[in-house]
Short mmCIF file of all heavy atoms in Angstrom, two decimals:
data_model
loop_
_atom_site.label_atom_id
_atom_site.label_comp_id
_atom_site.label_asym_id
_atom_site.label_seq_id
_atom_site.Cartn_x
_atom_site.Cartn_y
_atom_site.Cartn_z
N ASP B 940 -20.16 0.92 20.86
CA ASP B 940 -19.41 2.17 20.70
C ASP B 940 -18.37 2.30 21.81
O ASP B 940 -18.57 1.79 22.92
CB ASP B 940 -20.36 3.37 20.76
CG ASP B 940 -21.10 3.57 19.45
OD1 ASP B 940 -20.86 2.77 18.52
OD2 ASP B 940 -21.91 4.50 19.36
N GLN B 944 -15.19 7.95 22.48
CA GLN B 944 -15.22 8.41 21.08
C GLN B 944 -16.55 8.17 20.37
O GLN B 944 -16.75 8.70 19.28
CB GLN B 944 -14.12 7.70 20.28
CG GLN B 944 -12.72 7.93 20.79
CD GLN B 944 -11.71 7.19 19.93
OE1 GLN B 944 -11.90 6.98 18.74
NE2 GLN B 944 -10.61 6.79 20.54
N ARG B 949 -14.20 3.19 15.21
CA ARG B 949 -14.16 2.05 14.28
C ARG B 949 -13.18 2.29 13.12
O ARG B 949 -12.81 1.34 12.42
CB ARG B 949 -15.56 1.75 13.75
CG ARG B 949 -16.46 1.10 14.79
CD ARG B 949 -17.85 0.85 14.25
NE ARG B 949 -18.68 0.14 15.20
CZ ARG B 949 -19.38 0.73 16.18
NH1 ARG B 949 -19.35 2.04 16.32
NH2 ARG B 949 -20.10 0.00 17.01
N GLU B 992 4.64 0.21 -4.47
CA GLU B 992 3.42 0.85 -4.98
C GLU B 992 2.23 0.58 -4.05
O GLU B 992 1.49 1.51 -3.69
CB GLU B 992 3.12 0.35 -6.39
CG GLU B 992 2.70 1.49 -7.29
CD GLU B 992 2.64 1.10 -8.74
OE1 GLU B 992 1.63 0.51 -9.12
OE2 GLU B 992 3.60 1.40 -9.48
N ASN B 1011 -12.22 14.83 13.87
CA ASN B 1011 -13.35 14.60 14.77
C ASN B 1011 -12.93 14.62 16.24
O ASN B 1011 -13.63 15.18 17.08
CB ASN B 1011 -14.00 13.25 14.43
CG ASN B 1011 -15.18 12.96 15.32
OD1 ASN B 1011 -15.10 12.14 16.22
ND2 ASN B 1011 -16.27 13.66 15.10
N ARG B 1116 0.27 -6.44 -9.72
CA ARG B 1116 1.32 -5.48 -10.12
C ARG B 1116 2.58 -6.21 -10.58
O ARG B 1116 3.25 -5.79 -11.52
CB ARG B 1116 1.61 -4.56 -8.92
CG ARG B 1116 2.52 -3.41 -9.19
CD ARG B 1116 1.92 -2.44 -10.17
NE ARG B 1116 2.91 -1.47 -10.61
CZ ARG B 1116 3.76 -1.69 -11.61
NH1 ARG B 1116 3.74 -2.81 -12.30
NH2 ARG B 1116 4.63 -0.74 -11.95
N GLN B 1119 2.11 -7.47 -14.03
CA GLN B 1119 2.25 -6.35 -14.98
C GLN B 1119 3.72 -6.02 -15.22
O GLN B 1119 4.13 -5.73 -16.34
CB GLN B 1119 1.53 -5.11 -14.45
CG GLN B 1119 0.02 -5.25 -14.49
CD GLN B 1119 -0.68 -4.00 -14.01
OE1 GLN B 1119 -0.05 -3.08 -13.49
NE2 GLN B 1119 -1.99 -3.97 -14.16
N ARG B 1130 10.74 -5.03 -27.76
CA ARG B 1130 11.11 -3.76 -28.42
C ARG B 1130 12.56 -3.80 -28.87
O ARG B 1130 12.90 -3.38 -29.98
CB ARG B 1130 10.90 -2.59 -27.44
CG ARG B 1130 9.48 -2.08 -27.41
CD ARG B 1130 9.42 -0.71 -26.76
NE ARG B 1130 8.02 -0.33 -26.60
CZ ARG B 1130 7.50 0.13 -25.47
NH1 ARG B 1130 8.26 0.27 -24.41
NH2 ARG B 1130 6.24 0.46 -25.40
N VAL B 1133 12.80 -5.99 -31.91
CA VAL B 1133 12.29 -5.32 -33.12
C VAL B 1133 13.31 -4.30 -33.63
O VAL B 1133 13.58 -4.23 -34.83
CB VAL B 1133 10.93 -4.63 -32.81
CG1 VAL B 1133 10.53 -3.68 -33.94
CG2 VAL B 1133 9.85 -5.67 -32.59
N MET O 155 -26.33 6.79 19.56
CA MET O 155 -25.06 6.96 18.83
C MET O 155 -24.89 8.44 18.44
O MET O 155 -25.83 9.06 17.98
CB MET O 155 -25.08 6.07 17.59
CG MET O 155 -23.71 5.75 17.06
SD MET O 155 -23.78 4.65 15.63
CE MET O 155 -23.91 3.07 16.40
N ASN O 159 -20.08 11.84 15.17
CA ASN O 159 -19.07 10.79 15.04
C ASN O 159 -19.42 9.82 13.92
O ASN O 159 -18.54 9.31 13.25
CB ASN O 159 -18.93 10.03 16.36
CG ASN O 159 -18.07 10.80 17.33
OD1 ASN O 159 -17.53 11.84 16.98
ND2 ASN O 159 -17.96 10.29 18.54
N TYR O 167 -14.30 5.79 6.28
CA TYR O 167 -14.40 4.55 5.49
C TYR O 167 -14.55 4.86 4.00
O TYR O 167 -13.96 4.17 3.16
CB TYR O 167 -15.56 3.68 6.00
CG TYR O 167 -15.11 2.75 7.11
CD1 TYR O 167 -15.05 3.18 8.43
CD2 TYR O 167 -14.72 1.44 6.85
CE1 TYR O 167 -14.62 2.34 9.46
CE2 TYR O 167 -14.28 0.59 7.86
CZ TYR O 167 -14.24 1.05 9.16
OH TYR O 167 -13.80 0.21 10.16
N GLY O 170 -11.17 5.80 2.55
CA GLY O 170 -10.32 4.62 2.44
C GLY O 170 -10.67 3.77 1.23
O GLY O 170 -9.80 3.41 0.43
N LEU O 181 -4.60 0.16 -11.78
CA LEU O 181 -3.98 -1.12 -12.17
C LEU O 181 -4.66 -1.72 -13.40
O LEU O 181 -4.00 -2.23 -14.30
CB LEU O 181 -4.08 -2.13 -11.01
CG LEU O 181 -3.08 -2.03 -9.87
CD1 LEU O 181 -3.28 -3.19 -8.90
CD2 LEU O 181 -1.65 -2.05 -10.36
N ARG O 184 -3.65 0.24 -16.49
CA ARG O 184 -2.26 -0.08 -16.86
C ARG O 184 -2.18 -1.48 -17.47
O ARG O 184 -1.45 -1.70 -18.44
CB ARG O 184 -1.35 0.04 -15.64
CG ARG O 184 0.13 -0.06 -16.00
CD ARG O 184 0.95 -0.22 -14.75
NE ARG O 184 1.12 1.04 -14.06
CZ ARG O 184 1.36 1.12 -12.74
NH1 ARG O 184 1.38 0.03 -12.01
NH2 ARG O 184 1.54 2.28 -12.16
N GLY O 185 -2.94 -2.42 -16.88
CA GLY O 185 -2.95 -3.80 -17.39
C GLY O 185 -3.44 -3.86 -18.83
O GLY O 185 -2.86 -4.56 -19.66
N GLU O 191 -0.12 -3.46 -25.81
CA GLU O 191 1.24 -3.23 -26.32
C GLU O 191 1.95 -4.56 -26.58
O GLU O 191 2.63 -4.72 -27.60
CB GLU O 191 2.02 -2.39 -25.30
CG GLU O 191 3.44 -2.03 -25.67
CD GLU O 191 3.54 -1.04 -26.83
OE1 GLU O 191 2.49 -0.58 -27.30
OE2 GLU O 191 4.68 -0.76 -27.25
N ARG O 202 7.57 -9.93 -38.99
CA ARG O 202 8.94 -9.79 -39.49
C ARG O 202 9.62 -11.14 -39.68
O ARG O 202 10.55 -11.26 -40.48
CB ARG O 202 9.76 -8.93 -38.53
CG ARG O 202 9.31 -7.49 -38.53
CD ARG O 202 10.32 -6.60 -37.90
NE ARG O 202 9.85 -5.21 -37.96
CZ ARG O 202 10.58 -4.19 -37.57
NH1 ARG O 202 11.79 -4.37 -37.08
NH2 ARG O 202 10.11 -2.97 -37.66
#
Side-chain angles (χ1 to χ4, degrees):
Chain B
D940 281 0
Q944 300 180 30
R949 287 178 176 85
E992 222 170 81
N1011 180 255
R1116 188 65 190 85
Q1119 289 182 351
R1130 276 196 187 131
V1133 168
Chain O
M155 201 178 277
N159 280 355
Y167 272 83
L181 280 185
R184 189 191 282 155
E191 181 69 3
R202 291 196 179 185

